[in-house]
């Protein structure tokens, strides 16, 4: 119902006739891909690595308001509330991810609205025991 109301509101703002709403498909998540800045679903970084982020590319049918939550190791990192309009892909990003604890970490974007009809992906990052500043010094020396 909320999607229909939002659709009618968007059509009214765009000056389109309300009759076109009936042809609009239901708001649904049809695809999601999560990647790190390296374009992959996995990355290894040193301890205290700055500005590690994940990007989510989402595709929908219909239009509406997307509600989701970024999670790392099951803990909430950030909420996502974004409009999705007329079959446009939506790209969302995490805030800076925690890299202060060595080991393997799992990241997911838990979409609550619209409810996905498929299993959501989880991607991983590994934090080494080597500190970022030491890593930078070591790699600069080898140049």
């Amino acid at each position: 119902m909320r999607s229909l109301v939002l659709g009618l509101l968007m059509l009214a703002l765009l000056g389109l006739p309300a009759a076109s709403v009936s042809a609009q498909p239901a708001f649904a998540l049809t695809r999601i891909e999560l990647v790190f800045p390296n374009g992959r679903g996995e990355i290894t970084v040193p301890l205290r690595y700055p500005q590690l982020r994940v990007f989510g590319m989402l595709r929908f049918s219909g239009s509406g308001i997307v509600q989701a939550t970024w999670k790392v190791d099951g803990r909430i990192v950030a909420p996502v509330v974004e409009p999705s309009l007329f079959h446009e892909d939506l790209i969302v990003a995490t805030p800076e991810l925690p890299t202060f604890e060595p080991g393997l970490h799992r990241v997911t974007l838990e979409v609550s609205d619209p409810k996905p009809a498929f299993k959501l992906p989880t991607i991983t990052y590994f934090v080494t025991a080597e500190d970022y500043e030491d890593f930078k010094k070591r790699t600069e020396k080898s140049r």
Side-chain angles (χ1 to χ4, degrees):
M1 181 66 180
R2 185 172 58 190
S3 294
L4 178 60
V5 171
L6 288 170
L8 286 170
L9 180 60
M10 287 186 279
L11 290 172
L13 291 172
L14 295 171
L16 299 174
S20 64
V21 171
S22 62
Q24 186 179 23
F27 185 46
L29 179 64
T30 59
R31 183 175 191 279
I32 183 169
E33 181 180 1
L34 303 179
V35 295
F36 290 100
N38 64 0
R40 301 181 60 192
E42 59 192 23
I43 195 169
T44 299
V45 297
L47 192 66
R48 289 185 265 290
Y49 183 81
Q51 299 186 354
L52 178 62
R53 298 195 186 311
V54 171
F55 300 93
M57 280 92 46
L58 293 82
R59 182 167 294 156
F60 301 91
S61 61
S63 60
I65 303 293
V66 179
Q67 295 182 17
T69 306
W70 284 110
K71 290 186 174 183
V72 173
D73 298 333
R75 294 183 295 247
I76 294 174
V77 175
V80 174
V81 179
E82 293 284 337
S84 173
L85 303 174
F86 306 111
H87 305 284
E88 289 184 1
D89 289 349
L90 178 65
I91 298 175
V92 294
T94 64
E96 187 172 325
L97 295 176
T99 57
F100 53 82
E101 185 178 340
L104 186 66
H105 302 280
R106 291 172 174 75
V107 182
T108 191
L109 180 60
E110 199 171 273
V111 181
S112 56
D113 191 26
K115 290 272 188 213
F118 52 87
K119 186 176 181 331
L120 295 170
T122 297
I123 62 174
T124 59
Y125 66 101
F126 185 80
V127 178
T128 66
E130 181 180 24
D131 188 77
Y132 175 68
E133 291 302 319
D134 296 337
F135 172 79
K136 259 184 17 181
K137 288 175 190 172
R138 183 173 56 80
T139 55
E140 287 172 356
K141 285 180 186 177
S142 64
R143 288 183 188 177

